[in-house]
Amino acid sequence: MKKIVILGAGTAGTMMLNKFASVLDRREWHISIVDLEETHYYQPGFLFIPFGIYSRSDVVKPKRDFFPPGTDVIVSRIERIEPGKNRVLLASGAVIPYDYLIVATGTKIYPQQTEGLQGELWHKQIFDFYTIEGACALAEFFKRWRGGKLVVNITEMPIKCPVAPLEFAFLADWYFSERGIRDKVDIHFVTPLPGAFTKPRASTILGNILDKKNIRLTTEFSIGRVDNEAASIISWDENAVPFDVLVTIPTNMGDEAIARSKMGDELNFIPTDKATLRAVGHENIFVIGDATDLPSSKAGSVAHFESDILLENFISVSEGRQPSAQFDGHANCFIESGFGKGILIDFNYDTEPLPGKFPLPGIGPFSLLEETKTNHYGKVMFRWMYWNFLLKGLELPVESHMSMAGKRA
Ligand SMILES: Cc1cc2nc3c(=O)[nH]c(=O)nc-3n(C[C@H](O)[C@H](O)[C@H](O)COP(=O)(O)OP(=O)(O)OC[C@H]3O[C@@H](n4cnc5c(N)ncnc54)[C@H](O)[C@@H]3O)c2cc1C
């Protein structure tokens, strides 16, 4: 039997596993999946925890609920990949040989990369919401907080779900308004980018929304350190932004196992062919999701679009043909903007988010680059779609390749 090994059973790995299981002849293919965690976290739900909209139990399910029968499930930390020997070494001591390897180890936060970030104010006045622990600690803090300076800071790009920090600021505006203390909370969005977002047109629109909500924006702020005594973030060029509470999006990096395998760049992201999703220099290794170094967004929706391309290219390669399916960088993200509204953006490597209707031209029901209630319902529905369709590798009513239908240039 030929062996496929999938590293990482998060969004991308689980989705890929289900796709393989539905098309490959199980008498010919042995499929293993490796992860150190037995719990699956719905990470988009972390955004809502600090504001009491979701709690821990709303975002967790056992990973095994999503594995198809007959899967060889290995619970262990991955120590390293030895691509020259076509094998993976696990922390348990086991050695797993493969014919084809799918790397889906994602990205996580590394607060230790910024001096002082995990100092004495960590989880007292400094929180993240990119981990379940951070999001839950912040929820407890907000319950008792009576107001002051709230700074939301992106340490450096790339980060997963690049719109999540903006959504956090929008929801903070809504949450403190609901609590009747908005006039006592100064919300300040501090980013290393030249604008509110990575893409120019969306950046202007999202910047205007920040303005409308009275959220201050500081751009091109490259954090060098945190001064715990003064409760300030300090940039490399010595500008200080004081805070009473700092919500940080720390440096995002790929897993250390990638560095140990000598397969990553300086942030442990794996050089990946942006069209075929094959690891550069490795004919029998594909990379999917946040683990890649692709210039697309790091998002669950992107992993979903990639999974169709990867499956097609995997079949070609396993049958001795060249991989011909091309990923176009398609991303589709709902941006929660507070007060029961949301914005939708749909874009790819070459086309920035444009206004219009989605998915049906002229009809929608979703509106691109516009705040609507229907878009908010789309965001709410996403969790149900995630558990019931996305993870199971089922088809969604959105094409893998971005369509210009319904978009206004
Ligand atoms: C706050 C927040 C909000 C978000 N909102 C959205 C949104 O609205 N829409 C959207 O599309 N996306 C959103 N995302 C992004 C989305 O969750 C990720 O892009 C997606 O989960 C990526 O999937 P992945 O499989 O690449 O990585 P993950 O889902 O993170 O999975 C990686 C897996 O690899 C395992 N692993 C890693 N290293 C090892 C090792 N050494 N040994 C064993 N196992 C290992 C991990 O345990 C994990 O299970 C959000 C993320 C966050 C944090």
Side-chain angles (χ1 to χ4, degrees):
M1 272 175 120
K2 283 174 280 182
K3 282 175 180 286
I4 304 175
V5 175
I6 302 174
L7 300 182
T11 312
T14 306
M15 217 166 2
M16 224 41 247
L17 170 67
N18 281 299
K19 294 225 166 201
F20 283 139
S22 67
V23 299
L24 298 180
D25 185 340
R26 303 303 287 276
R27 290 163 304 184
E28 289 178 22
W29 291 95
H30 179 271
I31 311 176
S32 308
I33 191 159
V34 187
D35 204 296
L36 76 165
E37 288 253 16
E38 300 211 55
T39 302
H40 190 107
Y41 295 96
Y42 172 63
Q43 298 177 47
F46 293 176
L47 169 71
F48 298 105
I49 292 177
F51 307 108
I53 302 167
Y54 285 173
S55 62
R56 192 179 199 284
S57 59
D58 292 314
V59 299
V60 295
K61 284 190 195 283
K63 279 188 192 291
R64 277 179 196 269
D65 287 3
F66 301 93
F67 297 154
T71 307
D72 173 23
V73 180
I74 304 169
V75 181
S76 172
R77 185 176 292 281
I78 300 148
E79 186 55 31
R80 68 173 187 277
I81 305 162
E82 292 186 338
K85 294 183 178 159
N86 287 340
R87 64 184 200 177
V88 178
L89 309 190
L90 304 183
S92 62
V95 178
I96 316 288
Y98 62 82
D99 295 297
Y100 295 95
L101 186 69
I102 313 296
V103 187
T105 42
T107 174
K108 58 186 182 195
I109 59 161
Y110 285 77
Q112 61 274 30
Q113 292 285 324
T114 304
E115 185 189 329
L117 195 54
Q118 277 188 314
E120 61 195 64
L121 297 185
W122 184 248
H123 283 192
K124 294 194 185 92
Q125 280 171 254
I126 303 178
F127 301 88
D128 75 277
F129 68 98
Y130 269 48
T131 59
I132 187 81
E133 297 78 18
C136 291
L138 186 51
E140 285 307 310
F141 177 88
F142 274 166
K143 277 184 204 163
R144 289 170 191 78
W145 198 46
R146 297 277 164 262
K149 292 191 191 74
L150 164 60
V151 172
V152 181
N153 175 238
I154 300 171
T155 300
E156 62 178 311
M157 300 301 285
I159 56 170
K160 56 181 147 186
C161 196
V163 294
L166 277 169
E167 295 182 279
F168 185 92
F170 296 152
L171 281 174
D173 167 63
W174 162 80
Y175 173 76
F176 292 114
S177 300
E178 290 286 299
R179 282 185 43 192
I181 59 166
R182 179 64 182 91
D183 56 336
K184 297 189 176 60
V185 181
D186 171 20
I187 309 176
H188 191 172
F189 191 80
V190 182
T191 170
L193 293 169
F197 188 54
T198 47
K199 313 274 173 183
R201 202 149 163 184
S203 185
T204 307
I205 290 170
L206 294 166
N208 290 342
I209 296 177
L210 285 174
D211 207 33
K212 200 177 74 187
K213 293 180 185 292
N214 202 17
I215 298 170
R216 278 199 288 155
L217 172 65
T218 295
T219 56
E220 295 182 329
F221 184 97
S222 179
I223 187 171
R225 65 182 197 280
V226 179
D227 182 337
N228 279 258
E229 220 161 281
S232 289
I233 52 172
I234 319 283
S235 66
W236 287 109
D237 50 359
E238 293 298 323
N239 284 319
V241 174
F243 61 82
D244 293 306
V245 57
L246 171 66
V247 175
T248 173
I249 295 83
T251 301
N252 280 216
M253 290 173 69
D255 194 75
E256 295 93 335
I258 304 302
R260 287 192 292 271
S261 312
K262 301 195 176 13
M263 287 179 69
D265 61 15
E266 69 285 0
L267 289 172
N268 302 343
F269 295 127
I270 304 175
T272 305
D273 186 294
K274 65 190 276 221
T276 64
L277 304 178
R278 220 160 33 168
V280 173
H282 304 288
E283 301 254 299
N284 59 345
I285 304 180
F286 287 90
V287 195
I288 182 167
D290 295 351
T292 73
D293 75 338
L294 298 184
S296 51
S297 280
K298 294 192 183 297
S301 65
V302 173
H304 167 73
F305 300 134
E306 287 173 341
S307 68
D308 289 332
I309 309 296
L310 198 159
L311 181 66
E312 207 176 317
N313 283 337
F314 170 84
I315 291 171
S316 298
V317 170
S318 67
E319 291 173 355
R321 290 179 281 120
Q322 281 303 309
S324 58
Q326 307 233 323
F327 181 55
D328 66 353
H330 190 192
N332 180 282
C333 303
F334 285 103
I335 306 172
E336 188 68 9
S337 60
F339 296 92
K341 289 191 178 167
I343 301 156
L344 177 63
I345 52 176
D346 189 67
F347 57 104
N348 69 10
Y349 290 140
D350 304 319
T351 307
E352 66 166 323
L354 295 170
K357 292 287 178 192
F358 186 90
L360 301 175
I363 297 172
F366 302 115
S367 304
L368 296 166
L369 271 186
E370 211 183 301
E371 256 192 300
T372 68
K373 285 201 180 301
T374 312
N375 289 342
H376 160 73
Y377 294 124
K379 179 90 183 183
V380 174
M381 276 291 290
F382 187 65
R383 183 172 59 142
W384 185 84
M385 296 290 279
Y386 182 88
W387 294 127
N388 293 292
F389 282 82
L390 207 102
L391 276 188
K392 293 178 180 168
L394 301 175
E395 290 307 312
L396 294 178
V398 185
E399 293 297 314
S400 304
H401 290 115
M402 195 204 75
S403 162
M404 281 302 286
K407 294 195 171 73
R408 296 193 304 273

